[in-house]
Amino acid sequence: LQAIHKQPNSLNDKGDPLLSALSLVQNLMPPRCRREECHVPSVREYILLPASSSQHSTSVAAAAHLLSSCIVESAITAGNNENVSDMTPIQKEEYNETVSLKKETVALQRIQDFRQVLENVVNFESLNGDLLESKLLCSINESLTKIYHVAPAALESQLAHSEHGKKVLNGLFSKSVEAEAKTGAKESSNHDNPKSLSRVKSLSFYSHLSDPPIEFTSEKQQTEQLDAIAISLTETDADLWSARFDALKALEQILAGGIVRHSEQQRALFLDKLRRMAITEQILDLRSQITRQACRVVTALAYELRETNNTDCASMMSHFVEKWLPALLKLSISGVRLMATQGTNCLLHLSALGGNHGYPRIVTTLCEGCVEKKVHQNHKKGCVMALTMAMRVWGVHTLEKHLSLIEKAVQEASTNRDPSVREEGRKAFWAMYSRAKFRKSAEKIMAKWDKREKKMMEQIKEETIVEWERDGRMETLVRTGVDIGAKAGSSLSSTKGGSSKGRVTLKKRIGRSALPPAAARKKQSHAAQAPATPE
C-alpha cells in the first residue's frame, strides 16, 4: 500500500515498481481460488479496501486494476477449452452460450466477494472523473470496461441500485455501442446516447444472443422481413427445420432491437404480424432447439412489452399469453425432460414479467390446473409455479376477484401427493401469505395443518426468503428477466442440454429402461432369429 501511494501517476510504464507490487498482490488471488480461502478476505480487507477508499487517485486506479484482473481471469478460466472446429454452427452457438453463462456466474461470485471495493472505485470515478489526470482516468475506465465486457449482467446487477453506478453503467454501455458501431454492427442513433438504464437491462436479458439486434429503417423493410419470417414458420418439411429455427432467432433479434419501444406504428405492425405467425406450432415442435427458441421469443415479447410501462401493451400481452398457454402446458408434460423444463420455465418467466397488470385472463386456467385430479404432475407443477409468481408480482386488483379459486388451488397444491408439486404448493402458500389482502385466507389454510406440516412449511419459508431477498434468484428474475439460479441446459438462456449428444444419451437410457428385463430378453431373441435386412 505504501508503494502504491508513492508511485507516480502511471500504471503502464515498463519497470515501474508499482507493477511489481500489483503482480505480487494479484498472485494472491489466482483464478481458481475459492472464496473461503483465508488470503482472499485478507487481500480485500488489508489492501483493496484501503486502496479503493483512499483519496490518492493512483491507489484507486491500482485497486481497480487488481479487481478487474481478478474478475476477468476468473471468468476466462471458467470457460471450457473444447475444440469448436468440429462443431456445427448450432453446436457452436450452444457451446458459446454455455461458456457465457459460466463466465457470468463466476464473475458474479467474484464481484460479490469484492462488492465494497467495486462500489468505492465506481463512486470515486463518478465523483472525480472530471478532475483526474487523463492517464489515471483511462486506467480506471479501462478496468471497469474489462469487467463489463466479460460479464455485463453481473456488473449491472451490483451497480444498478445506486445513482453513481447507473452513471458509470450508462458510460460503459455507450462505449460498447460505439465499439460495435466501429466494427460494423448496426445500431440506431437512439442507442448512441442512452437516457436511462433500460438498454443496459436489455443487454443483460439478451446476453445470450450471438448476433446483433435487428432494426428497421422503413415500414416496407419491416413488412418484408416479417412476412418472410411468417412464411418460414409455416414450413412443414422436417429436413428444413433450421429455417424455422433461424426465423425464430430473427424474431428475438428484432425484439432485442426495441421494435415495441421505438414508435406506436412500428409496434402495432409488429404485433399484428406476430399474432398471425405459427408460434403455437413451434412451441409444440418435436425438436428441443425449436421449442427452446420459441419460448425465448415468448419471454422476450413479455419483457419488451413490460418495459414500455404501457397499459395497452400489458393488455396485448395478456391476449398472447392466453393464446399460447395451452401449448406451453402441453410442452411442460413432454416425455423429454429438457423440453418439459423449458415449458415450466417459460411459464415462470411469463408470470415474472407480467408486471403490476399481469394476465387476468389466465388466472382461472392456472387455478383449475392446480386443482384438477387427472392431469400430469408437470402440468400441475407448472400451474402452481406460475400462480406463485403471480401472487408475488401482479397487482392485487388482478387477483382478488379470483381469491376463492386461488385458496382452493393453494390448499390442493400444498398437500399434493407428488413431492415436487407439494414443495411448489408450500411456496405458493407463502406467496399468498405475503399479500395483506390474502392473509386471512392463508391463515384458514394454516389452521388445517398438523405439527409436522407446520415444521415443513417453516423450512420452505426460509428458502423462499432467500430467493426473494435483494439479488436472490426470484427477485433477480423479476427485475431483469434473467434466471441466475437455473441449472445449465434447463434455463431459457442455456442450451447445453439441447445438443444432439444429449438426445442420443437420453434415447439410450430410455431404450435400456423402457422394457422389463424379461421382455427385453425376449425382444432380443426374436431380433436374433429374424433375417438380416439390407441397409
Side-chain angles (χ1 to χ4, degrees):
L1 183 59
Q2 291 177 355
I4 291 173
H5 283 167
K6 293 178 181 178
Q7 289 309 310
N9 297 334
S10 172
L11 293 178
N12 299 314
D13 295 339
K14 292 183 178 180
D16 190 344
L18 177 56
L19 292 179
S20 300
L22 295 178
S23 178
L24 176 62
V25 177
Q26 190 171 331
N27 286 332
L28 295 175
M29 300 182 294
R32 295 189 182 277
C33 71
R34 297 185 299 275
R35 58 170 60 180
E36 61 268 23
E37 292 183 11
C38 61
H39 57 267
V40 174
S42 299
V43 169
R44 179 180 64 241
E45 299 297 329
Y46 298 113
I47 298 178
L48 291 182
L49 276 176
S52 62
S53 58
S54 171
Q55 295 302 315
H56 295 273
S57 54
T58 311
S59 299
V60 179
H65 173 78
L66 284 169
L67 183 64
S68 69
S69 299
C70 175
I71 294 172
V72 171
E73 288 186 13
S74 298
I76 293 175
T77 306
N80 295 330
N81 296 320
E82 295 181 10
N83 184 13
V84 298
S85 59
D86 297 330
M87 296 183 182
T88 64
I90 293 178
Q91 288 175 334
K92 287 181 181 179
E93 179 192 1
E94 294 173 348
Y95 170 77
N96 290 334
E97 289 175 7
T98 303
V99 171
S100 176
L101 185 64
K102 285 184 179 180
K103 288 182 178 180
E104 287 277 0
T105 303
V106 173
L108 181 61
Q109 292 175 350
R110 281 289 184 226
I111 290 174
Q112 289 175 340
D113 289 342
F114 302 100
R115 181 172 181 174
Q116 188 58 53
V117 178
L118 178 63
E119 290 182 355
N120 290 344
V121 171
V122 167
N123 292 341
F124 185 89
E125 196 270 347
S126 178
L127 293 172
N128 304 301
D130 298 333
L131 305 176
L132 290 177
E133 294 184 17
S134 58
K135 283 188 176 181
L136 284 174
L137 181 60
C138 289
S139 176
I140 294 176
N141 284 336
E142 182 181 3
S143 299
L144 293 174
T145 302
K146 288 179 179 177
I147 301 174
Y148 185 80
H149 179 71
V150 171
L155 187 63
E156 186 265 342
S157 68
Q158 301 300 308
L159 297 184
H161 64 281
S162 68
E163 291 301 320
H164 294 310
K166 291 179 182 178
K167 179 180 176 181
V168 171
L169 282 171
N170 277 325
L172 293 173
F173 183 72
S174 298
K175 289 181 180 179
S176 69
V177 170
E178 292 172 2
E180 288 178 359
K182 290 179 180 178
T183 57
K186 295 182 179 179
E187 299 290 343
S188 70
S189 58
N190 189 41
H191 292 178
D192 294 336
N193 296 302
K195 297 180 180 180
S196 68
L197 201 62
S198 62
R199 300 310 302 175
V200 179
K201 290 183 178 179
S202 295
L203 184 65
S204 303
F205 183 81
Y206 295 109
S207 59
H208 60 273
L209 281 178
S210 57
D211 296 322
I214 296 175
E215 297 182 9
F216 302 113
T217 56
S218 66
E219 183 178 337
K220 180 181 178 182
Q221 182 189 12
Q222 178 181 347
T223 303
E224 290 177 352
Q225 184 147 355
L226 290 175
D227 287 343
I229 290 173
I231 293 172
S232 297
L233 292 178
T234 59
E235 181 61 61
T236 57
D237 191 340
D239 295 333
L240 300 178
W241 66 271
S242 59
R244 289 184 287 119
F245 178 84
D246 292 338
L248 290 169
K249 190 175 177 183
L251 272 179
E252 189 181 15
Q253 290 173 255
I254 292 171
L255 286 166
I259 192 169
V260 302
R261 306 189 210 182
H262 287 170
S263 69
E264 291 186 9
Q265 185 178 2
Q266 275 191 320
R267 178 170 66 231
L269 177 59
F270 174 76
L271 294 177
D272 182 60
K273 295 286 187 182
L274 183 65
R275 191 178 294 111
R276 304 175 187 180
M277 291 183 187
I279 302 297
T280 301
E281 289 77 3
Q282 313 314 313
I283 296 173
L284 297 174
D285 197 81
L286 298 179
R287 285 185 176 269
S288 63
Q289 291 160 314
I290 297 292
T291 57
R292 182 201 67 223
Q293 193 59 41
C295 289
R296 281 181 176 174
V297 170
V298 170
T299 55
L301 179 65
Y303 175 81
E304 291 292 329
L305 290 177
R306 184 192 71 170
E307 292 297 299
T308 61
N309 294 319
N310 188 310
T311 305
D312 292 336
C313 290
S315 179
M316 292 176 192
M317 190 62 210
S318 185
H319 284 278
F320 279 113
V321 174
E322 184 184 22
K323 177 182 178 181
W324 295 330
L325 181 62
L328 291 171
L329 289 172
K330 191 171 182 180
L331 178 63
S332 68
I333 64 173
S334 170
V336 181
R337 184 180 298 178
L338 173 65
M339 296 171 68
T341 307
Q342 290 171 359
T344 53
N345 279 351
C346 189
L347 291 170
L348 182 66
H349 280 67
L350 283 176
S351 289
L353 298 171
N356 185 60
H357 188 275
Y359 317 121
R361 295 171 173 270
I362 70 168
V363 176
T364 303
T365 304
L366 294 178
C367 292
E368 290 174 351
C370 298
V371 174
E372 286 182 15
K373 301 293 184 181
K374 297 181 179 181
V375 294
H376 193 279
Q377 63 182 29
N378 283 352
H379 182 284
K380 192 180 290 285
K381 180 180 176 182
C383 289
V384 177
M385 291 171 66
L387 186 61
T388 301
M389 184 63 76
M391 288 190 287
R392 289 279 185 177
V393 179
W394 300 358
V396 174
H397 64 278
T398 304
L399 301 169
E400 58 184 349
K401 61 183 178 181
H402 304 286
L403 182 56
S404 59
L405 287 175
I406 293 174
E407 184 178 342
K408 291 179 182 178
V410 173
Q411 172 66 38
E412 166 63 27
S414 60
T415 57
N416 193 270
R417 292 181 299 175
D418 185 84
S420 61
V421 176
R422 191 164 61 246
E423 181 180 353
E424 296 299 332
R426 290 166 177 166
K427 291 181 180 180
F429 167 81
W430 289 116
M432 188 180 189
Y433 190 85
S434 67
R435 309 301 288 264
K437 282 202 172 184
F438 301 159
R439 192 158 296 167
K440 288 185 178 179
S441 298
E443 289 172 350
K444 291 180 183 177
I445 299 174
M446 186 187 298
K448 301 176 182 179
W449 297 338
D450 55 21
K451 290 183 178 180
R452 179 178 174 277
E453 185 65 25
K454 288 181 179 180
K455 183 178 179 181
M456 297 299 296
M457 291 299 294
E458 287 299 323
Q459 294 177 357
I460 290 292
K461 181 181 179 180
E462 295 176 1
E463 179 182 338
T464 304
I465 291 173
V466 173
E467 288 183 338
W468 283 97
E469 66 183 4
R470 178 69 184 182
D471 296 333
R473 178 189 173 190
M474 293 303 167
E475 190 274 339
T476 303
L477 175 59
V478 173
R479 178 164 47 87
T480 66
V482 179
D483 189 353
I484 59 174
K487 297 179 180 179
S490 64
S491 74
L492 298 181
S493 58
S494 174
T495 57
K496 186 177 180 181
S499 66
S500 58
K501 292 182 179 179
R503 290 197 301 274
V504 171
T505 304
L506 185 62
K507 288 179 180 178
K508 288 181 179 179
R509 180 166 55 81
I510 292 175
R512 288 196 298 266
S513 60
L515 296 174
R521 289 195 298 270
K522 185 177 180 180
K523 184 176 180 179
Q524 290 173 359
S525 64
H526 283 299
Q529 296 172 4
T533 304
E535 289 288 327

